[in-house]
Amino acid sequence: MELSEDQKNALARLTAWYRDPARSRFITLGGYAGTGKTTLIAVLKNELVKLNKSARFAFCSYTGKAAQNLKNKLREAGALAARDSVGTIHGLIYTPRENEEGRITGWDRKDLLEKDLIIVDEASMVDGNIWADLLSFGVPIVAVGDHGQLPPIAGQFNLMQAPELLLTQIHRQAAENPIIKVSQFARTTGLVPAERYGPGVVKYLKDDCDAQEKTGELLESWTPETMILCGYNSTRNKINQFVRAARGFEGPAPSSGDRVICLRNNHKKAVYNGMLGTITHIMKHNADWYEAEIQLDDRERPYDGLIYAPQFGAKTGVNFTKDRRLAMTGDLFDFGYALTVHKAQGGQARRVVMFEERFPKMDDEMWRRWLYTGVTRAEEELYLFG
């Protein structure tokens, strides 16, 4: 496996860090899309096994889909052993607490992690609370993420703000990928020229004659493999209404089968800002609350609890932080067909439909990060409207 110069340098420093008895508790590695972060993780693992054949590794990521992608790539590289684990951060460090009916009532941090190294992928998503819990086990951590993305949704904590090690060299094979080409425009200039970059990778201008027709076609053909991204909540609400109508949902109330997104962390229930899922059962509890069962994409067991009714279709997010009574009663969800880019961090989809919307207060750097973060959610197809 041929490594680039910056990959070789990072590998040497990571190996030296791991071998050093006086090493720091963690080390951070940042890399843009296409620089081979996952390749380096696999090579690092195989190199460290040479030093300690019985070493136990925990690979984890913020979302279940990212963890599965990482698992597949590690398998392809022959870098997974039976004693290794791959999963979400939450699955690694928390244990569910159940009542007599078998329903999850909370999550407790585990007492011990029998691992020799934790490798966290998509570390730009990790917030301060989860990071503190990860560190509490005393296991050395390699945190890997894309330092070109937006910082985490809430709080001031940003693990990828100044990574100790950097990968910036785009691999030749990756550079030929049309989505990587678009991401380079987004990251370096904040301006993606309107053209066809490859099959299913196109930038349209808003006044293009094809743009409106293509927009309707893409929204009407929404599937769970589609991620629709925008900037404004007002745009998000309009798109959610359009897609729901196209799928045959009547009225503004959420129904069984609706796609939803979590808008607020609840560590006790292990639901987090940006998590997506599908309603499997819902009924009125009272004027302000629904009783809902939601199959979350990153969980084997469904979420079961009260969700706040006035949030669905609201122009702004309800501030549970100011109203503790609401926070103690239930959780905050909304329709999840269209997402703001901030909420889409850490997620990926086979097809991304993205509407460029720049806030007046956004400086050039924040705009580049916003655009780059949205573009790099796409795995195969990207339709950009600006």
Side-chain angles (χ1 to χ4, degrees), residues 71-354:
K71 188 174 189 177
N72 294 341
K73 290 173 183 176
L74 290 169
R75 274 183 178 155
E76 288 171 15
L80 267 186
R83 61 184 171 274
D84 301 329
S85 64
V86 187
T88 62
I89 298 171
H90 309 106
L92 175 67
I93 65 176
Y94 302 118
T95 301
R97 192 189 320 127
E98 298 180 354
N99 62 16
E100 294 177 357
E101 299 172 350
R103 291 186 173 184
I104 296 175
T105 57
W107 292 71
D108 300 313
R109 193 177 66 207
K110 294 176 182 177
D111 296 324
L112 182 69
L113 275 187
E114 295 182 338
K115 298 294 180 181
D116 298 292
L117 181 68
I118 298 170
I119 298 179
V120 181
D121 194 23
E122 295 277 3
S124 58
M125 285 292 297
V126 177
D127 66 26
N129 291 329
I130 292 172
W131 182 242
D133 284 348
L134 274 165
L135 289 174
S136 71
F137 295 99
V139 179
I141 301 172
V142 178
V144 183
D146 189 333
H147 58 295
Q149 291 186 24
L150 290 164
I153 295 169
Q156 301 301 311
F157 183 81
N158 184 1
L159 192 55
M160 285 292 117
Q161 187 167 6
E164 295 166 68
L165 308 176
L166 287 177
L167 300 179
T168 58
Q169 188 177 335
I170 307 293
H171 282 234
R172 183 170 55 83
Q173 186 178 356
E176 295 169 359
N177 182 314
I179 293 171
I180 297 295
K181 287 182 183 178
V182 174
S183 79
Q184 287 178 283
F185 280 118
R187 177 172 54 80
T188 57
T189 70
L191 178 63
V192 178
E195 61 180 83
R196 183 175 295 276
Y197 292 86
V201 181
V202 189
K203 161 73 180 281
Y204 296 92
L205 292 178
K206 197 178 289 186
D207 53 2
D208 285 352
C209 56
D210 297 344
Q212 193 164 354
E213 183 179 345
K214 188 65 179 178
T215 300
E217 176 191 316
L218 289 166
L219 298 186
E220 286 173 1
S221 62
W222 181 93
T223 72
E225 291 189 327
T226 301
M227 183 181 284
I228 304 170
L229 302 178
C230 58
Y232 291 111
N233 269 314
S234 57
T235 305
R236 182 180 63 84
N237 282 330
K238 288 175 185 175
I239 295 172
N240 279 332
Q241 291 167 16
F242 183 91
V243 175
R244 291 187 76 243
R247 298 188 73 220
F249 288 106
E250 295 180 3
S255 303
S256 181
D258 256 320
R259 191 73 167 157
V260 291
I261 183 170
C262 178
L263 300 182
R264 178 183 172 273
N265 293 345
N266 182 339
H267 292 279
K268 287 186 177 180
K269 287 212 165 189
V271 291
Y272 297 91
N273 204 343
M275 273 188 171
L276 290 162
T278 302
I279 295 175
T280 52
H281 178 74
I282 190 166
M283 61 183 290
K284 270 281 188 183
H285 178 72
N286 59 32
D288 285 340
W289 298 94
Y290 294 111
E291 290 181 28
E293 184 180 87
I294 300 169
Q295 184 58 59
L296 294 163
D297 294 354
D298 299 326
R299 292 282 182 277
E300 288 185 13
R301 300 188 186 188
Y303 163 90
D304 185 3
L306 296 177
I307 60 176
Y308 193 54
Q311 177 59 63
F312 284 87
K315 293 181 180 178
T316 58
V318 177
N319 192 338
F320 269 26
T321 306
K322 288 184 178 178
D323 193 331
R324 296 299 299 166
R325 180 183 56 82
L326 293 178
M328 295 295 289
T329 304
D331 294 295
L332 205 58
F333 283 81
D334 199 352
F335 296 117
Y337 302 98
L339 317 175
T340 61
V341 170
H342 283 83
K343 297 292 187 190
Q345 287 173 261
Q348 283 193 298
R350 190 184 68 79
R351 171 189 286 177
V352 166
V353 181
M354 183 172 175

